[in-house]
Amino acid sequence: MNRLSVFNPADGSLIEQLPMDDAARVAERVAAAQRAQPLWSARPLTERKQVIARFRQSVQERLAQLAQVLTRETGKPLAHSRNELNGFLGRIDFFLAHADQALAGEQVFDADGMREQIERLPLGVIGNISAWNYPWFVGGNVFVPGLLMGNAVVYKPSEYAAMTGLEMARLLHGAGVPDDVFVALIGTGPTGGALLEQPLDGMFFTGSVATGQRIAQAMAPRMVKLQLELGGKDPTYVCPDADPVAAAQSLADGAMYNAGQSCCSVERLYVHEAIYDRFIEALVGTVRSFKMGDPMADDTYLGPLTRAPQIDVLQAQVADAQARGGRLLLGGARAPGPFGGKGNWFEATVIDRADRSMMLMRDESFGPIVGVQKVTGDAQAIALMNDTRYGLTAGVYTPDEQRARRIGSEVRAGSLYWNCCDRVSPRLPWSGWGESGLGLTLSVEGISTFTRPKAWHLRKN
Ligand code: NAD
């Protein structure tokens, strides 16, 4: 049996070798899920909610250990791993509180002997191919509501978060989800590819645009629900009336948190000329203060990159920006890191005098790097924010809510932030416009997305 080698991105050491699921094993597991799903969906919702509540309890009890597993395999600073797990508990609470509403049927007409009713049913067996950057969030956005709505979930965690995927399975099974109702498949792209070959009733993907497009092509002839949560190149505009220091401090965190490896991290900054210099000074000062170090240390803010190949992407973006007139204000190179040159370390990087000709302002960076461009007014900022094939989130910093709403309503993005950034709420739909994706998770709509409606037309004889 082939094995997946799991490396610690902080120091390059081998942590674990996990048995991988080949195509035959994937087919076996999906067939078992198909047999198990009807019994799961036949159980009353209250029972499924009890199971998920027990799962929540065990995540909470083991939070410290789960954070360590996540940090070891992704390099995410321990404090950020704990934040993710605590945030995940809040998301479970939301799903539990709104599951009844999302699954509720409805009578929409009753007159002249005719009744019309909507029933909501699970999709069946759904596939979930997931990313590594926030595995509890992006995996949990699918498997928690998916299971609550009565589906079986076949989950393919990223190869960079496979140990966390196995922890999820262990805790879900321990809480009472039958083994064949939640299945974790271990492997890389080919394991995901084998899952796409199976007779699934839905496919929910989180990852890059390139893989998302491949998945969309593979699933197109199947006529089942497909959701894609993909990348971004998220912009923020800092207006002339904004407090430049407060905005810079907030946006530095939005750009560098989790080493910039967030789908909604701030990657493009458009700053009004009236406050530009003060903003840049505060931005560079704040980013410089972020402590790089061993991700297992409590006070580390900047850890390594999870994937080694991303270092080349960042280096290419820096070189391209500099060649096109960008000014490197901070960082810009591979860092030795705290383990004597081992691991995937990159300096926190700020480049200004950026413009749309640069890869830095067009392509997702997914690292601790941000580009800044000076603008002269709202109209220019709006045009630049919309100058992208993505559309996940966008932000505006100004004390004037009317101004923020006016600008925000012209920006094409699934989420709009006013004086905040890099934020996800379980109460609001999470969706990408343009190449950032298809469909949505979170909010009540993001729970009922794991159901299909049946329309009943009922006439008494
Ligand atoms: P990726 O596309 O490299 O991998 C995602 C998953 O797809 C992994 O599990 C991988 O094994 C699998 N995969 C790879 N090739 C496959 C194939 N041919 N067939 C089937 N499965 C295949 O992405 P990644 O590096 O894990 O994640 C980073 C990306 O995810 C970034 O672009 C980020 O913006 C995006 N992301 C988006 C959101 C969102 O909510 N929109 C959230 C988190 C991450």
Side-chain angles (χ1 to χ4, degrees):
M1 185 180 275
N2 284 338
R3 289 190 169 259
L4 177 71
S5 298
V6 180
F7 295 97
N8 182 337
D11 62 9
S13 62
L14 180 67
I15 310 174
E16 189 71 83
Q17 289 195 303
L18 302 171
M20 284 210 273
D21 292 295
D22 62 13
R25 180 79 180 141
V26 171
E28 232 173 72
R29 300 303 312 265
V30 173
Q34 282 178 317
R35 289 191 295 273
Q37 186 269 332
L39 284 174
W40 175 247
S41 72
R43 283 162 72 169
L45 176 56
T46 40
E47 267 184 40
R48 294 199 298 270
K49 281 166 61 180
Q50 282 162 4
V51 170
I52 294 298
R54 279 198 297 273
F55 166 69
R56 183 202 187 283
Q57 178 73 23
S58 46
V59 171
Q60 190 169 30
E61 283 164 8
R62 292 167 182 76
L63 197 141
Q65 176 240 329
L66 296 171
Q68 292 212 357
V69 172
L70 181 56
T71 292
R72 281 178 74 214
E73 68 180 337
T74 63
K76 178 182 297 221
L78 201 53
H80 298 187
S81 292
R82 279 195 226 106
N83 288 348
E84 181 178 347
L85 280 150
N86 277 312
F88 178 58
L89 296 178
R91 291 195 189 184
I92 299 178
D93 292 338
F94 176 84
F95 295 137
L96 286 171
H98 294 88
D100 291 271
Q101 185 187 347
L103 196 57
E106 200 185 341
Q107 177 148 299
V108 290
F109 185 77
D110 183 8
D112 306 327
M114 188 80 198
R115 279 174 300 141
E116 296 174 358
Q117 294 174 349
I118 303 169
E119 184 186 13
R120 302 218 70 94
L121 297 162
L123 296 169
V125 178
I126 59 173
N128 179 204
I129 298 180
S130 195
W132 46 265
N133 59 332
Y134 288 91
W136 288 96
F137 280 157
V138 297
N141 288 351
V142 174
F143 69 71
V144 177
L147 289 169
L148 283 170
M149 295 298 99
N151 300 282
V153 181
V154 184
Y155 175 60
K156 213 297 275 173
S158 165
E159 53 273 41
Y160 296 97
M163 284 162 47
T164 292
L166 291 174
E167 294 287 350
M168 290 167 182
R170 201 167 56 78
L171 297 185
L172 284 165
H173 297 154
V177 177
D179 285 3
D180 292 332
V181 168
F182 181 84
V183 174
L185 295 175
I186 298 303
T188 57
T191 303
L195 182 56
L196 299 176
E197 302 288 310
Q198 299 306 310
L200 298 169
D201 301 298
M203 169 50 65
F204 296 80
F205 172 76
T206 306
S208 62
V209 172
T211 312
Q213 286 169 337
R214 248 178 257 135
I215 286 179
Q217 271 167 1
M219 296 305 291
R222 309 280 288 280
M223 308 300 169
V224 296
K225 186 161 209 170
L226 173 67
Q227 288 203 174
L228 304 167
E229 295 199 332
L230 309 176
K233 187 75 197 168
D234 294 355
T236 297
Y237 170 40
V238 186
C239 296
D241 53 1
D243 174 344
V245 176
Q249 287 169 344
S250 162
L251 289 163
D253 183 46
M256 300 295 162
Y257 189 86
N258 196 26
Q261 301 168 117
S262 306
C263 50
C264 54
S265 70
V266 178
E267 297 211 352
R268 293 183 288 148
L269 286 174
Y270 301 109
V271 181
H272 197 277
E273 59 185 356
I275 51 158
Y276 190 81
D277 291 342
R278 279 180 297 154
F279 178 89
I280 288 289
E281 191 188 336
L283 179 70
V284 170
T286 308
V287 173
R288 189 177 274 129
S289 74
F290 290 149
K291 188 171 183 295
M292 181 183 271
D294 181 350
M296 283 295 182
D298 269 327
D299 61 345
T300 290
Y301 180 91
L302 262 179
L305 295 177
T306 303
R307 293 173 60 256
Q310 202 63 16
I311 290 180
D312 291 341
V313 172
L314 298 181
Q315 264 168 347
Q317 290 195 351
V318 171
D320 173 71
Q322 284 187 291
R324 293 169 190 277
R327 180 171 60 162
L328 183 62
L329 297 171
L330 195 67
R334 196 185 179 111
F339 297 101
K342 294 185 196 148
N344 317 325
W345 297 83
F346 200 85
E347 295 169 338
T349 300
V350 180
I351 295 176
D352 85 334
R353 297 184 187 159
D355 66 47
R356 71 171 313 278
S357 73
M358 302 170 184
M359 292 191 292
L360 171 69
M361 299 302 264
R362 286 200 316 266
D363 303 333
E364 186 175 45
S365 303
F366 225 56
I369 174 169
V370 66
V372 194
Q373 179 171 354
K374 190 187 282 185
V375 294
T376 54
D378 295 2
Q380 187 196 7
I382 292 166
L384 287 167
M385 284 200 276
N386 284 331
D387 182 19
T388 179
R389 60 197 175 107
Y390 297 107
L392 193 56
T393 79
V396 183
Y397 281 63
T398 169
D400 180 349
E401 181 171 358
Q402 290 313 314
R403 184 179 199 157
R405 284 187 178 271
R406 197 173 57 244
I407 294 167
S409 62
E410 290 189 52
V411 175
R412 290 189 297 272
S415 295
L416 210 289
Y417 301 125
W418 175 40
N419 294 333
C420 57
C421 58
D422 193 20
R423 178 179 193 278
V424 181
S425 162
R427 298 169 291 276
L428 292 170
W430 186 247
S431 70
W433 294 16
E435 289 189 16
S436 289
L438 201 65
L440 82 164
T441 51
L442 300 176
S443 73
V444 177
E445 207 177 328
I447 306 176
S448 48
T449 195
F450 298 99
T451 68
R452 65 173 102 229
K454 182 168 231 171
W456 291 87
H457 304 241
L458 304 166
R459 180 181 292 285
K460 215 171 186 179
N461 69 50

mmCIF file of all heavy atoms in Angstrom, residues 16 25 29 70 80 86 184 266 275 294 327 355 406 445 455:
data_model
loop_
_atom_site.group_PDB
_atom_site.id
_atom_site.type_symbol
_atom_site.label_atom_id
_atom_site.label_comp_id
_atom_site.label_asym_id
_atom_site.label_seq_id
_atom_site.Cartn_x
_atom_site.Cartn_y
_atom_site.Cartn_z
ATOM 1 N N GLU A 16 4.913 11.596 9.904
ATOM 2 C CA GLU A 16 4.000 10.454 9.865
ATOM 3 C C GLU A 16 3.962 9.904 8.452
ATOM 4 O O GLU A 16 4.187 10.635 7.489
ATOM 5 C CB GLU A 16 2.616 11.009 10.251
ATOM 6 C CG GLU A 16 1.511 10.047 10.489
ATOM 7 C CD GLU A 16 1.625 9.229 11.769
ATOM 8 O OE1 GLU A 16 1.242 9.706 12.845
ATOM 9 O OE2 GLU A 16 2.130 8.090 11.639
ATOM 10 N N ARG A 25 -10.184 1.169 -3.146
ATOM 11 C CA ARG A 25 -10.619 1.448 -1.770
ATOM 12 C C ARG A 25 -11.633 2.606 -1.740
ATOM 13 O O ARG A 25 -12.611 2.564 -0.988
ATOM 14 C CB ARG A 25 -9.370 1.795 -0.948
ATOM 15 C CG ARG A 25 -9.606 2.115 0.475
ATOM 16 C CD ARG A 25 -9.813 0.862 1.312
ATOM 17 N NE ARG A 25 -10.052 1.214 2.697
ATOM 18 C CZ ARG A 25 -10.918 0.610 3.496
ATOM 19 N NH1 ARG A 25 -11.630 -0.418 3.056
ATOM 20 N NH2 ARG A 25 -11.082 0.999 4.738
ATOM 21 N N ARG A 29 -15.413 2.359 -0.229
ATOM 22 C CA ARG A 29 -15.901 3.237 0.848
ATOM 23 C C ARG A 29 -17.163 3.987 0.422
ATOM 24 O O ARG A 29 -18.065 4.197 1.222
ATOM 25 C CB ARG A 29 -14.822 4.243 1.274
ATOM 26 C CG ARG A 29 -13.529 3.679 1.800
ATOM 27 C CD ARG A 29 -13.651 2.744 2.990
ATOM 28 N NE ARG A 29 -14.465 3.166 4.105
ATOM 29 C CZ ARG A 29 -14.036 3.783 5.215
ATOM 30 N NH1 ARG A 29 -12.768 4.063 5.342
ATOM 31 N NH2 ARG A 29 -14.853 4.109 6.195
ATOM 32 N N LEU A 70 -2.721 20.127 14.242
ATOM 33 C CA LEU A 70 -2.869 21.046 13.112
ATOM 34 C C LEU A 70 -1.593 21.865 12.907
ATOM 35 O O LEU A 70 -1.125 22.049 11.775
ATOM 36 C CB LEU A 70 -4.078 21.963 13.374
ATOM 37 C CG LEU A 70 -4.441 22.984 12.316
ATOM 38 C CD1 LEU A 70 -4.680 22.321 10.955
ATOM 39 C CD2 LEU A 70 -5.695 23.771 12.725
ATOM 40 N N HIS A 80 -3.103 30.496 16.393
ATOM 41 C CA HIS A 80 -4.053 30.556 15.288
ATOM 42 C C HIS A 80 -4.810 29.228 15.168
ATOM 43 O O HIS A 80 -5.989 29.209 14.805
ATOM 44 C CB HIS A 80 -3.338 30.877 13.974
ATOM 45 C CG HIS A 80 -2.640 32.218 13.974
ATOM 46 N ND1 HIS A 80 -2.062 32.769 12.845
ATOM 47 C CD2 HIS A 80 -2.435 33.123 14.960
ATOM 48 C CE1 HIS A 80 -1.531 33.943 13.142
ATOM 49 N NE2 HIS A 80 -1.740 34.166 14.419
ATOM 50 N N ASN A 86 -11.627 27.114 18.209
ATOM 51 C CA ASN A 86 -12.664 27.808 18.983
ATOM 52 C C ASN A 86 -13.741 28.374 18.061
ATOM 53 O O ASN A 86 -14.929 28.303 18.360
ATOM 54 C CB ASN A 86 -12.049 28.923 19.834
ATOM 55 C CG ASN A 86 -11.484 28.371 21.134
ATOM 56 O OD1 ASN A 86 -12.154 27.597 21.839
ATOM 57 N ND2 ASN A 86 -10.260 28.721 21.459
ATOM 58 N N ALA A 184 -13.206 9.337 5.902
ATOM 59 C CA ALA A 184 -12.072 10.195 5.525
ATOM 60 C C ALA A 184 -11.160 9.401 4.600
ATOM 61 O O ALA A 184 -10.734 8.296 4.947
ATOM 62 C CB ALA A 184 -11.324 10.654 6.766
ATOM 63 N N VAL A 266 -6.082 39.813 2.851
ATOM 64 C CA VAL A 266 -6.001 41.055 2.076
ATOM 65 C C VAL A 266 -4.750 40.980 1.207
ATOM 66 O O VAL A 266 -3.639 40.866 1.715
ATOM 67 C CB VAL A 266 -5.917 42.263 3.035
ATOM 68 C CG1 VAL A 266 -5.783 43.557 2.236
ATOM 69 C CG2 VAL A 266 -7.132 42.308 3.942
ATOM 70 N N ILE A 275 -3.576 60.286 2.514
ATOM 71 C CA ILE A 275 -3.100 59.667 3.762
ATOM 72 C C ILE A 275 -2.023 58.622 3.486
ATOM 73 O O ILE A 275 -1.634 57.858 4.370
ATOM 74 C CB ILE A 275 -4.268 58.993 4.519
ATOM 75 C CG1 ILE A 275 -5.027 58.065 3.555
ATOM 76 C CG2 ILE A 275 -5.188 60.010 5.149
ATOM 77 C CD1 ILE A 275 -5.791 57.014 4.253
ATOM 78 N N ASP A 294 9.040 29.648 15.947
ATOM 79 C CA ASP A 294 8.543 28.278 16.038
ATOM 80 C C ASP A 294 7.013 28.323 16.189
ATOM 81 O O ASP A 294 6.504 28.929 17.137
ATOM 82 C CB ASP A 294 9.186 27.623 17.276
ATOM 83 C CG ASP A 294 8.750 26.171 17.441
ATOM 84 O OD1 ASP A 294 7.827 25.729 16.729
ATOM 85 O OD2 ASP A 294 9.352 25.497 18.298
ATOM 86 N N ARG A 327 8.206 49.017 -5.374
ATOM 87 C CA ARG A 327 9.244 49.347 -4.394
ATOM 88 C C ARG A 327 9.129 48.377 -3.226
ATOM 89 O O ARG A 327 8.079 48.319 -2.559
ATOM 90 C CB ARG A 327 9.038 50.790 -3.921
ATOM 91 C CG ARG A 327 10.068 51.245 -2.891
ATOM 92 C CD ARG A 327 9.953 52.737 -2.607
ATOM 93 N NE ARG A 327 8.639 53.123 -2.092
ATOM 94 C CZ ARG A 327 8.390 54.278 -1.460
ATOM 95 N NH1 ARG A 327 9.357 55.153 -1.286
ATOM 96 N NH2 ARG A 327 7.169 54.566 -1.027
ATOM 97 N N ASP A 355 1.077 48.022 -9.364
ATOM 98 C CA ASP A 355 0.006 48.297 -10.331
ATOM 99 C C ASP A 355 -0.445 47.003 -10.996
ATOM 100 O O ASP A 355 0.133 45.948 -10.783
ATOM 101 C CB ASP A 355 0.437 49.348 -11.366
ATOM 102 C CG ASP A 355 1.562 48.855 -12.257
ATOM 103 O OD1 ASP A 355 1.482 47.722 -12.778
ATOM 104 O OD2 ASP A 355 2.552 49.595 -12.439
ATOM 105 N N ARG A 406 -21.865 53.027 -0.524
ATOM 106 C CA ARG A 406 -21.903 53.442 -1.939
ATOM 107 C C ARG A 406 -20.788 52.727 -2.715
ATOM 108 O O ARG A 406 -21.016 52.144 -3.776
ATOM 109 C CB ARG A 406 -21.720 54.966 -2.009
ATOM 110 C CG ARG A 406 -22.128 55.588 -3.329
ATOM 111 C CD ARG A 406 -22.089 57.111 -3.292
ATOM 112 N NE ARG A 406 -20.782 57.647 -2.922
ATOM 113 C CZ ARG A 406 -20.538 58.353 -1.814
ATOM 114 N NH1 ARG A 406 -21.501 58.614 -0.947
ATOM 115 N NH2 ARG A 406 -19.322 58.801 -1.561
ATOM 116 N N GLU A 445 -29.063 29.317 4.633
ATOM 117 C CA GLU A 445 -29.053 28.840 3.240
ATOM 118 C C GLU A 445 -27.915 27.845 3.006
ATOM 119 O O GLU A 445 -28.049 26.902 2.230
ATOM 120 C CB GLU A 445 -28.880 30.055 2.321
ATOM 121 C CG GLU A 445 -29.478 29.873 0.939
ATOM 122 C CD GLU A 445 -29.329 31.144 0.110
ATOM 123 O OE1 GLU A 445 -29.358 32.267 0.676
ATOM 124 O OE2 GLU A 445 -29.173 31.008 -1.117
ATOM 125 N N ALA A 455 -41.329 18.852 -4.378
ATOM 126 C CA ALA A 455 -42.554 19.642 -4.431
ATOM 127 C C ALA A 455 -43.752 18.695 -4.460
ATOM 128 O O ALA A 455 -43.847 17.828 -5.334
ATOM 129 C CB ALA A 455 -42.544 20.521 -5.683
#
